[in-house]
Amino acid sequence: MEERIQVIGGGLAGCEAAWQMARRGVDVRLHEMRPQRSSPAHSSEHLAELVCSNSLRSDQIGNAVGLLHEELRRLDSLVLAAADATRVPAGRALAVDRERFSSLITDKIEAEPRIEIVRSEVTQLPEGLALVATGPLTSDALAQEIGKLAGDSLYFYDSISPTVYEDSLDMKVLFSASRYEDGEGDYLNIPLNRDEYHRLIDEVLQAEKNPLRDFEKAIYFEACLPIEVMAERGRDTLAYGPMKPVGLIDPRTGRRPHAVIQLRREDEKGSLYNLVGFQTKLTISEQQRVFRMLPGMEKAVFARYGSAHRNTYLCAPELLDERLQMRKRDGLHFAGQIAGVEGYVESAALGLLAGVYLAFRARGKESPLAPITSGIGALSRHLRESRSKSFQPMNINFGLFPPLEELGRLSRKDRNAKLVARALEDLQTWSERVRPEAV
């Protein structure tokens, strides 16, 4: 019998990789340390738990992440199938019922005979073929082992938005709408006038924050900044960021508010909502005080408070090859956020890639590389071709794709449409070469 491939980490990337290998006839041992040991951000024993937002972002194919959704669907992704099966209304975004989503993936993995789940912490890097997909909250013991290969570790802080119960909100103040859409939309909106907005900024700036530990530095991911960090950059930063009012009209006044806080549904029933873009490291007591000053949230009951946590990742251009393998250690691969991408969908995409590459390797074959013209290939290209000194985790975006060869100027919409068409055409060719029957 072939030796099982070791996958460390039962998050989105690890589960996707294990699933792809099992579909290609490869036995997998999936290690997940919970519930034996948890992380600061996890709260359940389920695999593929979503610890931040419940949104996989835009599902529009003209958007780069929407294209990545479509690519993963065409590649029979477990994560995208689960997301589609548990989606909740969120306008043009793909948001899920987080409990049903992780439960479904857990059930699928547990029912797969080629996957053995081991519920214990891994503190040593395994020999042979293995994948590390431990995510941004890699345990200290394993991080130290990885550090022996990687040298100086790189890290930044990622933040979580608070979640509140819908029935604790004053619906006489909030209104339902999605940006630029007529009628009621999928988001709840808290309108703020100029005075209310500036009062919020004052309170956020003055509020007590959870301090960083002595040995830590505040290096934040620019797309997920805590609100207090944004407020420190300028009093209008939030009004032009997560609180921008564009595309929203308060039906009670018929006017656009000065600023808007949007709340997105967290579960299918609509009993939980998170404050979109309100990542924070305010203390719990200050979150209660400051956020209950907002119109309609005077009696808000919090299901989860915002928090900040360490996010560990590799400098991929220096350390990983084109198949996500550690250059210094043959057979050891990395995927997900620890490999240097940001976002749920991007993590799942790398997990899928790693699963395909490892399945071929287990059979003594070399898999074809994903085309760099596709979203999944463009992500991989970012990891291996970025400048090491300025490398930072990245969400998928059209700027990562090779430029079109056509002459002449195109509008952004037309350019993106051509990038999408090229991506899906090239992906189709690659998918046929890496289908389960081809291994």
Side-chain angles (χ1 to χ4, degrees):
M1 293 179 62
E2 294 179 350
E3 184 178 352
R4 288 183 181 269
I5 293 181
Q6 310 294 313
V7 176
I8 307 173
L12 298 182
C15 287
E16 186 67 63
W19 183 259
Q20 295 299 327
M21 285 187 274
R23 289 184 64 243
R24 289 164 173 79
V26 176
D27 292 332
V28 179
R29 181 172 288 117
L30 178 62
H31 300 265
E32 170 52 54
M33 68 179 186
R34 292 176 295 119
Q36 181 192 80
R37 182 178 177 183
S38 190
S39 77
H42 289 88
S43 60
S44 81
E45 299 179 4
H46 291 314
L47 302 172
E49 180 184 351
L50 303 181
V51 299
C52 191
S53 167
N54 69 320
S55 173
L56 277 66
R57 314 200 311 281
S58 174
D59 201 33
Q60 302 297 300
I61 198 168
N63 182 290
V65 72
L67 168 61
L68 195 54
H69 288 177
E70 180 61 22
E71 291 183 9
L72 293 181
R73 290 186 180 105
R74 296 188 183 197
L75 294 168
D76 295 325
S77 162
L78 171 64
V79 168
L80 259 292
D84 286 334
T86 61
R87 70 186 303 158
V88 297
R92 298 172 182 175
L94 174 56
V96 304
D97 181 317
R98 66 171 71 237
E99 177 68 23
R100 290 181 57 225
F101 172 81
S102 58
S103 294
L104 178 57
I105 290 181
T106 302
D107 290 344
K108 291 283 189 181
I109 294 292
E110 289 179 341
E112 171 52 57
R114 288 194 175 276
I115 301 176
E116 174 192 357
I117 302 175
V118 179
R119 294 280 190 168
S120 62
E121 182 183 3
V122 174
T123 59
Q124 298 288 327
L125 293 171
E127 299 295 330
L129 292 181
L131 174 68
V132 177
T134 46
L137 299 177
T138 300
S139 66
D140 290 341
L142 187 59
Q144 289 177 7
E145 290 300 305
I146 296 171
K148 294 177 183 178
L149 291 176
D152 294 337
S153 63
L154 302 174
Y155 66 91
F156 61 89
Y157 278 78
D158 205 359
S159 306
I160 297 174
S161 298
T163 299
V164 296
Y165 288 96
E166 185 271 343
D167 59 9
S168 70
L169 303 174
D170 186 351
M171 303 308 292
K172 295 179 181 178
V173 177
L174 282 68
F175 66 93
S176 298
S178 297
R179 296 187 193 279
Y180 302 109
E181 294 183 5
D182 296 331
E184 290 193 358
D186 297 324
Y187 293 81
L188 298 180
N189 298 271
I190 302 176
L192 300 181
N193 59 35
R194 184 181 299 272
D195 290 341
E196 291 168 334
Y197 170 78
H198 285 291
R199 182 188 180 195
L200 172 64
I201 298 302
D202 289 338
E203 295 296 335
V204 166
L205 290 173
Q206 297 169 13
E208 181 182 0
K209 286 86 175 175
N210 288 308
L212 300 178
R213 288 173 287 184
D214 292 340
F215 62 88
E216 296 172 329
K217 296 180 295 183
I219 306 175
Y220 297 101
F221 178 48
E222 286 295 317
C224 201
L225 291 172
I227 57 171
E228 56 272 14
V229 174
M230 286 188 277
E232 290 169 356
R233 294 184 174 186
R235 296 187 64 83
D236 294 325
T237 301
L238 282 162
Y240 286 94
M243 294 181 65
K244 60 181 180 292
V246 295
L248 294 168
I249 300 297
D250 186 343
R252 297 172 183 81
T253 64
R255 298 190 300 272
R256 189 175 78 176
H258 179 76
V260 170
I261 299 171
Q262 289 200 300
L263 289 83
R264 180 175 54 229
R265 186 184 297 191
E266 282 268 348
D267 62 342
E268 188 174 26
K269 295 180 180 180
S271 59
L272 295 172
Y273 279 80
N274 69 65
L275 279 67
V276 178
F278 261 57
Q279 302 83 215
T280 183
K281 53 188 178 72
L282 299 185
T283 64
I284 289 178
S285 60
E286 289 290 70
Q287 289 183 52
Q288 293 172 337
R289 182 184 69 82
V290 174
F291 296 145
R292 284 177 180 158
M293 295 172 61
L294 295 169
M297 285 190 57
E298 292 85 356
K299 299 181 180 180
V301 177
F302 292 82
R304 182 177 65 180
Y305 293 97
S307 66
H309 54 271
R310 190 183 73 180
N311 193 343
T312 304
Y313 65 97
L314 298 173
C315 183
E318 288 185 0
L319 300 171
L320 301 182
D321 69 13
E322 67 276 8
R323 288 183 174 81
L324 305 175
Q325 179 179 238
M326 179 72 79
R327 299 180 193 275
K328 297 180 180 179
R329 175 80 172 272
D330 183 62
L332 181 62
H333 296 244
F334 287 80
Q337 286 183 270
I338 195 171
V341 295
E342 179 66 21
Y344 295 146
V345 187
E346 292 84 347
S347 295
L350 279 198
L352 189 150
L353 266 184
V356 169
Y357 293 158
L358 277 163
F360 273 79
R361 175 74 181 272
R363 296 297 177 82
K365 301 179 181 180
E366 186 173 80
S367 63
L369 295 175
I372 61 174
T373 51
S374 66
I376 195 169
L379 269 179
S380 181
R381 178 188 183 221
H382 165 67
L383 298 186
R384 66 177 182 267
E385 295 185 9
S386 295
R387 294 179 59 188
S388 298
K389 292 184 178 180
S390 58
F391 179 73
Q392 191 174 12
M394 182 74 74
N395 289 119
I396 186 69
N397 63 80
F398 283 124
L400 302 181
F401 290 63
L404 295 165
E405 296 179 357
E406 300 171 359
L407 299 176
R409 295 179 61 86
L410 294 173
S411 68
R412 178 173 296 181
K413 181 178 180 180
D414 289 341
R415 182 203 65 189
N416 291 350
K418 289 183 178 294
L419 289 173
V420 167
R422 182 183 67 177
L424 295 179
E425 180 180 353
D426 293 348
L427 182 86
Q428 180 62 34
T429 301
W430 182 73
S431 67
E432 292 173 358
R433 298 178 63 193
V434 299
R435 67 187 189 279
E437 299 79 13
V439 179

